[in-house]
Amino acid sequence: MELIRFVGSNFFEWDLKMYDEKNEQPAKVNSTDLNEDLGQIEYLFSDKTGTLTENEMLFKHFCINGDIYEEKYGDIFNLNSQTIKSITNPKIFRLLEALTVCHTVQVDKTSSEKYNASSPDELSFIKFCFNLGILYEGDVFDKTKNIFNRRVVYNIKDETFEKKYEIMYILEFDSVRKRMSIIVKNESNEYFLYCKGADSSIAPRCSCKTFSLYEDSLKEFSEKGWRTLVIAYKPLSKSEYLSYSQMLDQANSDILNKEEKLDKCYDLIESNLKIIGVTSVEDRLQEDVEGTLFALRQAGIKIWILTGDKLETAVNISDSCKHFSREMFKFVLKNLKTTTEVEENFTIINEQMKSSGKQSYALIIDGVSLETITLNKNQNDFRSIAVKCDAVLCCRMSPSQKANIVSLIKNSKERPMTAAIGDGANDVSMIQEAHVGIGIYGKEGRNAARSADFSFSKFKYLKRAFLVHGYLYYTRIAVLVLYFFYKNFVFSVCQTYYGFWNAFSSTSVFSSLYISIFNLILSSVPPFIIALFEQQKNVKDLEQTPFFYRSIRKNKPLSALQFLKWNIIAVWHSLSCFFIPLGVCQINSVLLNDGKNFGNYEFGTLIVTNIFVVIHLKIFLVWKYQNIFALFSYLMSILGFLLSCFLLSGFILPFPLTLFTENQALYFGIFVLFSSGSIWFTIILSSVVSILPDLVLIIIENLMEKVKLNKFAKKEIFIESNRAKSPNTTVENFSLYSIGMERSIASFESSNDLSSTYMIKRNSTLNSSRAFNLKSRRISPIDTLSQSII
């Protein structure tokens, strides 16, 4: 089994359709023990950035005090007034200075790609500033001051000048703080802290009045699916810097509590910030993400996207890649901070699910709500709702929260098979928590790929990994296991039958030679080859028809019913192989050409020959992908039978080899046996009688499979035809609607948006009032991306 897994894993790595020519990167298997688990996946947990997207950031817009700007042809345009703005504008220059200073980008002048960055966002900032004539030239070590100077060359209005910034401290990014900062001293001996990070991380550290100027811009950028970062700064006096420096040095010198003390220092230093502006970068979807997610959903795999991005950004990407289908009823839970809010929302969601019948659901939840659920031990209630949804989107997630989500589903009562896919170091905990971990060779290093069980360079390869390799690995192992039990059952039960004729004495119907070589030589090659090369379905059909993947999930090919079927067939084959020769002998015991009667060894040899023929006919019928390797396995089995049986019976062997020939009792016996036409007739008769039920069963199974395929095809056609008719229903924070619901509905109806209204009250039943907008064809109590009740 392990040898088959090891050899079979090479097919995964050799698959040219999973080879990335651009990066010259083949797929890789790090764990050969999980091959067949690829065919049993029920839940897929996926990161977004770098996994679903290219992770190649393109700088789009930036906002300062509510005004949105973009770069065109080396100039900055104000989108609101359509005017050109000068880079020397103090507010704009401050933002550009922050972008060129606050980062960890390295300069490699020997490479064709000048800039090397661990963060694609930072690389997009450097390239954006480069287009404006602001060139980052790298860090130069000053031996006299024992410090690094960050060199930036400014080409502004035909004037070129260089500025140097002494790097005092870098407060590196981490997934808990969700921000990164740098303390620098400029040429005027002024100290500044520049900070960039997620809005949820920076906003609490700035004045609410200042941050309110950017809320609309953040929302607009997020709704377009762009990644947003807030840029802030804080001027420092020399005494403040010295105080912070002393604190950081003390924290770094504490070996036992270093991390804890550094966190406290960072929390203190990154406070009372002033917002400079907000940036937005576009991260395009990878090739064929939409088709991959659709195929996996058809295969019965529930897909959860776990991301650290804003809710609006994540929802936009989910809609773009068709993670959410139009017919789904979307539940949105965000900013739930109390147990009461969580329980009320869960209660109403459950009522909605009961009243809607077979409606398809999607769940959207943020990290704040999830943390509240975890702290108040509502995980089981959350899980019971989430597993009923066809798609789940979790936003603002930390790495530990991602791993907890995977663990929550993996350890549920049903024990589903889970897989997680990601590309960065922050996905490692999620990947390792899932049953099957899959890493993407991304632009954020190879930590995820090294930590995963399987790895490749593009998300679209996941479709082939599951639907093709997963199906083939599992069906091959399933056939191997069933066939192994089957052939040994046939061989062993014949000895039981013989016990009724030898008074259950120690006499065996088989020679010790046949017992020794049955599994080693007579029946080992075909199962080994079938476990490597069998294809029960054409590879193209597997990719185009995800239904086949559904047919093997939940261990269906190895179910109790399958074992029972194979055991019943094994009983029938053993009866045919034993009792037909026995009946022929009882009718006429003189079957040999020399007129002599059958002996015990001749009868046992005839039974072994019958079994050998029947079990190979059985594997021939099961083997649907007959090729040169199948022919080779049959020839090897026949050669093994001829060498072991005919060769050992054709010579008088010296001691101790006589132990294999029953002290020469087998000498020349097989030649005498096969010289009789009656023996050949007996073998053919036994084989035909044995295989006939198999042929009938195969015909029935093929007809049933066609019926199932037709039903699946009709179901998919029905879903597609009704998809355009289905309203796009989104409901956010149910329990909050009881507060001022009439006000929100009135304002909603009086607005220019003629979308339908949807009223939900907290009672035993859900009352709804719907007025469909024929143009947009959607139902929405409140447009969750533009209006909410808080």
Side-chain angles (χ1 to χ4, degrees):
M1 186 79 79
E2 292 302 320
L3 179 61
I4 289 169
R5 285 172 171 169
F6 174 75
V7 177
S9 64
N10 289 299
F11 297 146
F12 191 91
E13 298 182 347
W14 295 338
D15 191 345
L16 293 179
K17 291 190 176 181
M18 297 177 67
Y19 177 76
D20 183 7
E21 294 183 359
K22 181 180 178 181
N23 299 314
E24 297 183 352
Q25 179 63 59
K28 185 167 180 60
V29 178
N30 296 325
S31 176
T32 59
D33 294 335
L34 302 175
N35 294 350
E36 54 272 16
D37 288 348
L38 289 174
Q40 295 296 299
I41 303 302
E42 298 177 58
Y43 285 86
L44 173 66
F45 300 90
S46 174
D47 178 41
K48 184 187 77 67
T49 304
T51 304
L52 299 178
T53 61
E54 293 281 359
N55 210 7
E56 291 183 356
M57 307 301 178
L58 177 64
F59 195 97
K60 300 298 290 185
H61 297 155
F62 66 90
C63 174
I64 298 177
N65 292 337
D67 293 325
I68 300 176
Y69 303 89
E70 69 172 343
E71 180 267 328
K72 285 184 179 181
Y73 314 112
D75 292 318
I76 294 179
F77 284 81
N78 187 318
L79 292 184
N80 297 337
S81 61
Q82 294 297 320
T83 57
I84 298 177
K85 289 291 183 179
S86 173
I87 296 176
T88 57
N89 180 293
K91 294 180 179 179
I92 295 177
F93 186 83
R94 174 72 71 184
L95 176 67
L96 298 177
E97 184 180 52
L99 295 180
T100 52
V101 171
C102 186
H103 59 77
T104 57
V105 178
Q106 301 295 318
V107 175
D108 184 2
K109 296 183 179 179
T110 62
S111 174
S112 58
E113 185 66 36
K114 181 178 179 180
Y115 299 113
N116 294 323
S118 59
S119 169
D121 297 84
E122 292 182 342
L123 184 60
S124 71
F125 294 159
I126 296 299
K127 290 182 176 179
F128 167 71
C129 293
F130 181 88
N131 294 337
L132 295 173
I134 303 174
L135 282 63
Y136 166 60
E137 294 295 340
D139 300 334
V140 179
F141 186 69
D142 187 342
K143 294 182 180 179
T144 58
K145 296 182 179 181
N146 194 30
I147 201 167
F148 279 97
N149 289 321
R150 183 151 288 181
R151 296 175 57 241
V152 181
V153 177
Y154 294 86
N155 298 308
I156 302 175
K157 293 183 177 180
D158 299 327
E159 181 183 356
T160 301
F161 58 92
E162 180 180 319
K163 283 192 174 185
K164 294 181 180 179
Y165 303 86
E166 294 183 11
I167 301 176
M168 314 309 293
Y169 275 99
I170 294 179
L171 284 59
E172 295 184 354
F173 173 87
D174 66 64
S175 56
V176 178
R177 287 167 45 241
K178 297 181 180 179
R179 58 186 181 272
M180 173 262 180
S181 300
I182 187 171
I183 300 176
V184 297
K185 184 173 76 169
N186 62 19
E187 294 173 337
S188 302
N189 292 324
E190 296 174 323
Y191 293 89
F192 288 95
L193 167 76
Y194 288 108
C195 181
K196 69 175 187 293
D199 58 298
S200 60
S201 175
I202 301 293
R205 303 178 176 279
C206 304
S207 65
C208 297
K209 185 177 181 180
T210 304
F211 188 77
S212 62
L213 297 173
Y214 298 92
E215 289 182 346
D216 292 339
S217 298
L218 282 168
K219 194 170 188 179
E220 180 182 343
F221 295 158
S222 299
E223 288 175 356
K224 293 179 179 179
W226 298 343
R227 290 164 57 87
T228 59
L229 282 178
V230 177
I231 313 298
Y233 84 109
K234 180 170 72 172
L236 303 175
S237 64
K238 187 174 182 179
S239 59
E240 282 181 310
Y241 164 70
L242 293 175
S243 174
Y244 292 155
S245 177
Q246 184 178 4
M247 290 170 51
L248 289 169
D249 290 341
Q250 290 177 353
N252 282 311
S253 62
D254 191 334
I255 299 176
L256 296 178
N257 303 307
K258 179 179 177 180
E259 297 297 329
E260 182 180 349
K261 288 191 174 182
L262 280 177
D263 288 341
K264 291 182 179 178
C265 290
Y266 292 167
D267 189 63
L268 177 62
I269 295 171
E270 297 170 329
S271 60
N272 299 320
L273 300 175
K274 298 178 181 179
I275 294 182
I276 304 174
V278 172
T279 64
S280 64
V281 294
E282 181 183 17
D283 189 10
R284 296 186 180 92
L285 283 174
Q286 288 188 26
E287 179 187 359
D288 198 30
V289 169
E290 177 183 340
T292 301
L293 292 179
F294 180 71
L296 295 180
R297 192 183 299 117
Q298 279 189 311
I301 299 174
K302 293 186 177 182
I303 302 167
W304 292 39
I305 294 180
L306 314 180
T307 177
D309 285 345
K310 286 174 62 65
L311 185 143
E312 292 84 359
T313 303
V315 168
N316 183 281
I317 294 296
S318 290
D319 286 332
S320 300
C321 67
K322 298 298 185 288
H323 177 226
F324 295 148
S325 58
R326 186 168 179 80
E327 72 273 8
M328 287 182 178
F329 192 105
K330 302 185 187 79
F331 301 120
V332 183
L333 302 177
K334 68 175 184 179
N335 294 326
L336 302 182
K337 298 180 180 179
T338 66
T339 307
T340 304
E341 287 181 344
V342 171
E343 291 177 350
E344 287 178 345
N345 277 274
F346 283 175
T347 300
I348 301 180
I349 289 176
N350 284 320
E351 291 177 358
Q352 173 64 27
M353 286 183 168
K354 290 179 182 178
S355 64
S356 298
K358 296 183 179 181
Q359 173 72 46
S360 179
Y361 299 104
L363 177 64
I364 303 168
I365 187 170
D366 64 355
V368 174
S369 302
L370 193 61
E371 185 176 0
T372 304
I373 290 170
T374 303
L375 292 175
N376 293 286
K377 298 181 180 180
N378 296 114
Q379 298 99 318
N380 292 333
D381 296 332
F382 168 74
R383 179 171 56 200
S384 64
I385 291 173
V387 296
K388 297 175 184 176
C389 298
D390 296 316
V392 177
L393 174 63
C394 301
C395 317
R396 288 299 191 206
M397 300 283 287
S398 66
S400 60
Q401 285 180 317
K402 290 182 179 181
N404 291 337
I405 284 289
V406 176
S407 177
L408 182 67
I409 300 302
K410 185 179 76 171
N411 297 320
S412 62
K413 185 178 180 181
E414 294 77 15
R415 299 287 177 178
M417 185 67 67
T418 60
I421 182 170
D423 72 307
N426 59 338
D427 301 317
V428 170
S429 57
M430 171 181 72
I431 289 172
Q432 293 181 335
E433 182 64 35
H435 291 103
V436 179
I438 301 169
I440 297 288
Y441 292 108
K443 296 178 175 62
E444 297 183 3
R446 300 204 168 188
N447 289 333
R450 286 196 295 266
S451 304
D453 304 303
F454 303 89
S455 54
F456 35 77
S457 60
K458 293 183 179 179
F459 184 81
K460 69 175 183 177
Y461 297 150
L462 192 64
K463 176 182 175 181
R464 188 169 178 86
F466 285 171
L467 304 189
V468 177
H469 289 284
Y471 182 92
L472 294 179
Y473 281 140
Y474 188 83
T475 53
R476 288 165 180 169
I477 289 295
V479 170
L480 175 66
V481 171
L482 293 170
Y483 183 77
F484 179 82
F485 281 101
Y486 153 80
K487 67 184 181 68
N488 283 284
F489 190 92
V490 174
F491 186 77
S492 303
V493 171
C494 287
Q495 177 63 43
T496 304
Y497 299 152
Y498 187 66
F500 290 98
W501 274 263
N502 69 359
F504 291 97
S505 65
S506 60
T507 305
S508 173
V509 69
F510 303 125
S511 165
S512 58
L513 168 68
Y514 302 135
I515 295 175
S516 301
I517 68 173
F518 179 75
N519 279 313
L520 184 63
I521 298 176
L522 299 185
S523 61
S524 61
V525 180
F528 179 79
I529 299 298
I530 196 175
L532 290 177
F533 299 104
E534 167 66 332
Q535 294 182 17
Q536 292 194 2
K537 304 296 177 186
N538 185 277
V539 171
K540 291 183 179 179
D541 293 338
L542 290 176
E543 286 191 280
Q544 296 172 1
T545 312
F547 165 77
F548 293 131
Y549 190 87
R550 284 176 179 258
S551 66
I552 65 168
R553 286 173 59 243
K554 297 185 180 295
N555 289 316
K556 290 179 183 177
L558 287 176
S559 63
L561 182 62
Q562 288 295 322
F563 269 101
L564 178 63
K565 183 188 76 173
W566 278 74
N567 285 332
I568 291 174
I569 291 173
V571 170
W572 173 254
H573 288 180
S574 65
L575 291 171
S576 303
C577 291
F578 183 85
F579 285 103
I580 289 179
L582 180 64
V584 172
C585 292
Q586 288 179 341
I587 294 172
N588 182 9
S589 61
V590 183
L591 295 176
L592 303 179
N593 288 342
D594 57 6
K596 294 181 179 179
N597 292 335
F598 254 25
N600 184 62
Y601 294 119
E602 287 81 2
F603 182 71
T605 302
L606 178 57
I607 301 299
V608 168
T609 305
N610 271 345
I611 294 174
F612 176 82
V613 173
V614 169
I615 63 174
H616 280 78
L617 287 174
K618 173 64 176 177
I619 202 170
F620 176 80
L621 293 177
V622 171
W623 205 328
K624 296 185 179 181
Y625 187 61
Q626 300 291 337
N627 52 23
I628 188 66
F629 299 106
L631 178 61
F632 170 78
S633 69
Y634 300 142
L635 292 177
M636 290 298 295
S637 283
I638 294 172
L639 181 62
F641 182 81
L642 294 176
L643 290 177
S644 58
C645 297
F646 284 84
L647 189 62
L648 294 177
S649 298
F651 298 93
I652 298 177
L653 302 176
F655 184 82
L657 296 178
T658 53
L659 296 175
F660 293 100
T661 60
E662 307 291 343
N663 292 321
Q664 302 302 144
L666 298 179
Y667 176 65
F668 218 68
I670 198 166
F671 294 95
V672 175
L673 188 68
F674 283 99
S675 64
S676 171
S678 300
I679 297 301
W680 285 101
F681 172 78
T682 304
I683 294 172
I684 294 172
L685 179 62
S686 299
S687 302
V688 171
V689 172
S690 297
I691 293 301
L692 276 176
D694 293 77
L695 293 173
V696 174
L697 188 60
I698 288 173
I699 293 172
I700 294 174
E701 288 179 344
N702 288 339
L703 292 174
M704 291 178 63
E705 185 178 20
K706 285 185 178 181
V707 172
K708 291 180 180 179
L709 274 174
N710 290 333
K711 287 184 178 180
F712 177 77
K714 291 179 180 178
K715 181 180 178 182
E716 291 303 316
I717 292 172
F718 177 78
I719 291 175
E720 288 295 327
S721 63
N722 286 275
R723 179 165 290 146
K725 302 176 183 178
S726 301
N728 184 13
T729 309
T730 306
V731 179
E732 176 182 345
N733 288 11
F734 288 93
S735 60
L736 301 179
Y737 285 146
S738 61
I739 306 173
M741 176 55 67
E742 277 67 24
R743 178 190 61 78
S744 65
I745 291 177
S747 62
F748 192 75
E749 291 177 334
S750 62
S751 66
N752 293 328
D753 185 1
L754 298 179
S755 303
S756 59
T757 60
Y758 192 88
M759 176 162 44
I760 298 179
K761 296 181 179 180
R762 287 184 294 178
N763 52 28
S764 58
T765 60
L766 296 178
N767 299 321
S768 61
S769 173
R770 304 184 180 183
F772 290 94
N773 179 349
L774 296 178
K775 185 175 181 181
S776 62
R777 300 195 65 83
R778 64 186 176 89
I779 309 173
S780 178
I782 290 178
D783 187 351
T784 55
L785 302 182
S786 61
Q787 183 181 1
S788 60
I789 305 173
I790 302 297

